Amino acid sequence: MNLLNMMDAENRVVLNVGGIRHETYKATLKKIPATRLSRLTEALGNYDPVLNEYFFDRHPGVFAQVLNYYRTGKLHYPTDVCGPLFEEELEFWGLDANQVEPCCWMTYTQHRDTQETLAVLDRLDLDTEKPSDEEMARKFGFEEAYFKGRLSWWQKTKPQLWSLFDEPYSSNSAKIIGVVSVFFICISILSFCLKTHPDMRVPVIHNITVRTTHNTSAWTLDKTQTNAHDAFFYIECLCNAWFTFEILMRFISSPRKCEFIKASVNVIDYIATLSFYIDLLLQKFASHLENADILEFFSIIRIMRLFKLTRHSSGLKILMQTFRASAKELTLLVFFLVLGIVIFASLVYYAERIQANPHNDFNSIPLGLWWALVTMTTVGYGDMAPKTYVGMFVGALCALAGVLTIALPVPVIVSNFAMYYSHTQARAKLPKKRRRVLPVEQPRGPMRLPGQGPPSGPGGTPVGPCGGPVGGGGGGGIPSSVSSGNMNRRMNPAKANNPKEMMGPKMVDMTMTLNPNGVGVKAEPLSTCRQSQDR
């Protein structure tokens, strides 16, 4: 019986991960070859001969799932661990992250969606804090001159102009410029709308000579057209003068001219500004044309200047990004709407022809398309309506199908908006400057007393602190767990000051490996040890 217990003990291995001891069979660790745990030998530097265990300073919660993967062949994701940490731990143990079970895959990959969302928010530039001088110098490519202290006058002025006109939250002056820009945008849009009101327009009256029935001449007044009041023209001139000045200053101080020109908001800005000057030229040289009023239609592009408000409102940026991220859902929504419109327009056309219907509104399928559109979108103008019972039944089905078609993709769009908005709020509360964590000093290998010689590996070959030949960059592993830091954990405090106890046979850990001649052998770095062990 004792012999069986001894054989069973030899087949077991103890793994101390982050202070938590795990015990399993060696055969269990061999189930997944070419991994860190499948190559455990007593020659490794992280083997403790005193406690007969292997010590790994890694996350113990993740290792419980790693060891369960060796036992059952199923890798599950712990819900109390962040995704990047889980991937880092799996990479250390030599396991593939794609082996996660399907039941945990959605939870495990959630951090990747979060990282993509944060990357999108970084591109949206939602920061409301003033960037440092070093960040501005790096953004404009003046980093080398900044560190040397040789910035020219233009190199100092250019970032200030850019912050003043393009970053409304960078300073109080920039906030004032932003308020002025928003004011002119609102005034321009308001003027564009009000000048179409009949009470705001001035009639153009011509004197016309007419012949009466008594062959005499008479004068009459004829109103040919109406023009906007002259005050609106001066308001437009003032607003567009500001827009021209603003876009020129932003272009001159832009760190990247090509990206500035390609930006969609900037394209709308200078096209809307250019349309004002084109309108002036058309009024001067093409006003005599009969269809000159149609040319005013192109001035509607100025209403697109409202999109400039996205530079001053993070909410509008998030809303536009939500529609951009939900493009697939919106495309699916339009596809199903078009499909339903065509089907129900055809059905209601033939349904209204089954019974006698003298007031039939559906004389063709194209007319039914309009009815199906307003019915499926639950608008229902009432200008067209089925009169027969079969047509009413088709109309009821059309309304129900429209409600379901619109309701299904909407939660996805709402979810995207909530995701972007919540991440933006959380990102705004995080500190901009993280506390730097100092790198941990790498533990050095065990020290052997003179005369003992270096530790021997298989076949009597001297091995270094990493488990490889001395001086040859041997096999990998984490430095010995029985180091000077762990000695205080395992040594009896009562014997700590006793020289005889310090020199006892159990004292095998020091800070340097000595050869028989007393010359120190430098311990290998931790990264070299790990790489060698992986090989």
Side-chain angles (χ1 to χ4, degrees):
M1 188 68 179
N2 293 333
L3 181 61
L4 294 176
N5 292 336
M6 292 178 59
M7 293 178 61
D8 185 66
E10 290 180 356
N11 293 328
R12 288 181 293 179
V13 61
V14 179
L15 305 172
N16 188 339
V17 180
I20 298 179
R21 301 175 76 250
H22 302 266
E23 190 171 0
T24 185
Y25 289 102
K26 295 180 180 179
T28 302
L29 302 181
K30 300 295 182 180
K31 290 182 178 180
I32 307 178
T35 58
R36 185 178 293 271
L37 294 179
S38 65
R39 298 192 296 263
L40 292 180
T41 61
E42 295 182 359
L44 296 178
N46 57 344
Y47 175 70
D48 187 349
V50 178
L51 299 178
N52 190 25
E53 66 180 20
Y54 295 88
F55 179 77
F56 297 93
D57 191 14
R58 307 299 299 187
H59 196 284
V62 176
F63 182 75
Q65 300 297 332
V66 170
L67 188 58
N68 184 68
Y69 180 41
Y70 280 89
R71 290 169 176 163
T72 63
K74 296 181 179 180
L75 181 59
H76 293 277
Y77 171 68
T79 57
D80 58 341
V81 175
C82 188
L85 175 61
F86 186 65
E87 286 185 344
E88 183 180 351
E89 291 295 315
L90 292 182
E91 183 180 359
F92 173 80
W93 297 112
L95 300 177
D96 187 7
N98 294 325
Q99 299 299 321
V100 175
E101 290 297 307
C103 59
C104 301
W105 182 253
M106 294 299 297
T107 308
Y108 164 63
T109 55
Q110 186 176 3
H111 73 280
R112 299 179 182 176
D113 298 334
T114 302
Q115 291 174 343
E116 294 178 359
T117 303
L118 294 177
V120 170
L121 295 180
D122 289 336
R123 293 195 299 268
L124 292 180
D125 193 15
L126 299 176
D127 290 333
T128 58
E129 292 189 0
K130 181 180 179 181
S132 62
D133 294 338
E134 182 180 350
E135 293 174 350
M136 293 298 292
R138 186 182 300 109
K139 183 176 184 178
F140 283 83
F142 305 151
E143 189 174 4
E144 184 176 355
Y146 172 78
F147 286 115
K148 291 182 179 180
R150 300 177 181 176
L151 290 174
S152 62
W153 173 83
W154 176 242
Q155 289 177 337
K156 294 179 181 178
T157 308
K158 187 176 180 180
Q160 295 176 0
L161 288 176
W162 175 256
S163 300
L164 192 64
F165 285 91
D166 201 78
E167 297 180 356
Y169 301 98
S170 60
S171 63
N172 292 330
S173 301
K175 291 180 181 178
I176 294 175
I177 296 295
V179 171
V180 172
S181 180
V182 173
F183 172 76
F184 278 111
I185 291 174
C186 296
I187 291 297
S188 177
I189 300 302
L190 186 63
S191 173
F192 178 80
C193 296
L194 288 179
K195 71 180 182 180
T196 60
H197 195 278
D199 295 338
M200 300 291 180
R201 299 183 70 86
V202 178
V204 178
I205 300 175
H206 295 282
N207 291 328
I208 301 176
T209 304
V210 295
R211 289 284 183 180
T212 63
T213 57
H214 302 286
N215 294 325
T216 58
S217 298
W219 297 91
T220 183
L221 299 179
D222 184 24
K223 185 180 75 171
T224 57
Q225 63 180 8
T226 58
N227 293 332
H229 196 276
D230 292 340
F232 292 108
F233 172 75
Y234 296 112
I235 292 174
E236 284 289 332
C237 289
L238 181 62
C239 293
N240 282 274
W242 167 260
F243 295 142
T244 305
F245 170 75
E246 182 186 24
I247 197 171
L248 286 177
M249 295 301 297
R250 292 178 61 230
F251 177 75
I252 293 173
S253 61
S254 173
R256 299 176 182 87
K257 300 287 190 299
C258 294
E259 294 182 3
F260 179 84
I261 295 175
K262 295 178 182 178
S264 57
V265 177
N266 295 332
V267 170
I268 294 174
D269 193 5
Y270 49 73
I271 289 180
T273 306
L274 188 62
S275 67
F276 170 74
Y277 298 104
I278 295 176
D279 192 19
L280 288 180
L281 295 176
L282 292 177
Q283 288 180 4
K284 184 176 182 180
F285 297 105
S287 59
H288 61 280
L289 299 178
E290 295 181 358
N291 297 326
D293 292 339
I294 301 178
L295 299 177
E296 294 184 0
F297 174 78
F298 294 99
S299 62
I300 198 174
I301 196 172
R302 298 177 203 170
I303 206 77
M304 303 287 289
R305 197 178 273 124
L306 283 172
F307 288 101
K308 287 183 61 178
L309 296 176
T310 56
R311 293 197 299 110
H312 307 276
S313 174
S314 59
L316 288 177
K317 289 183 179 180
I318 296 174
L319 183 61
M320 294 183 65
Q321 181 59 38
T322 300
F323 286 116
R324 188 179 304 173
S326 307
K328 294 182 179 179
E329 289 76 15
L330 292 174
T331 304
L332 188 65
L333 173 62
V334 172
F335 172 75
F336 282 119
L337 277 178
V338 172
L339 187 64
I341 287 171
V342 174
I343 292 176
F344 287 106
S346 304
L347 290 177
V348 76
Y349 170 73
Y350 289 105
E352 288 293 286
R353 297 169 64 90
I354 293 177
Q355 298 179 6
N357 186 8
H359 304 288
N360 186 10
D361 294 330
F362 301 91
N363 296 322
S364 64
I365 292 179
L367 290 176
L369 295 177
W370 167 253
W371 169 84
L373 174 62
V374 296
T375 304
M376 292 193 70
T377 54
T378 67
V379 176
Y381 288 114
D383 53 345
M384 299 175 63
K387 305 297 190 303
T388 63
Y389 291 108
V390 180
M392 293 178 183
F393 178 73
V394 173
L397 293 179
C398 180
L400 292 176
V403 171
L404 295 177
T405 303
I406 296 176
L408 291 178
V410 167
V412 179
I413 302 174
V414 175
S415 176
N416 289 336
F417 180 81
M419 178 181 62
Y420 284 114
Y421 186 78
S422 61
H423 280 87
T424 303
Q425 297 299 317
R427 190 168 172 264
K429 297 178 182 179
L430 291 177
K432 301 301 177 183
K433 295 183 179 180
R434 295 282 183 164
R435 183 176 179 179
R436 294 184 178 180
V437 181
L438 298 177
V440 180
E441 182 181 357
Q442 303 296 346
R444 287 172 290 185
M447 179 178 178
R448 301 291 177 176
L449 297 179
Q452 289 185 350
S456 300
T461 304
V463 295
C466 297
V470 175
I478 298 177
S480 175
S481 61
V482 196
S483 59
S484 58
N486 293 326
M487 182 178 10
N488 297 329
R489 175 170 60 90
R490 299 188 179 106
M491 185 183 296
N492 188 348
K495 300 179 181 180
N497 298 323
N498 191 345
K500 294 182 180 180
E501 293 294 336
M502 292 284 289
M503 298 300 294
K506 293 185 179 181
M507 179 56 197
V508 295
D509 285 345
M510 285 296 180
T511 59
M512 185 179 296
T513 302
L514 299 178
N515 59 19
N517 297 326
V519 180
V521 179
K522 186 178 180 180
E524 297 183 9
L526 180 62
S527 59
T528 305
C529 299
R530 290 181 178 176
Q531 293 174 1
S532 302
Q533 182 182 5
D534 292 338
R535 290 194 297 267

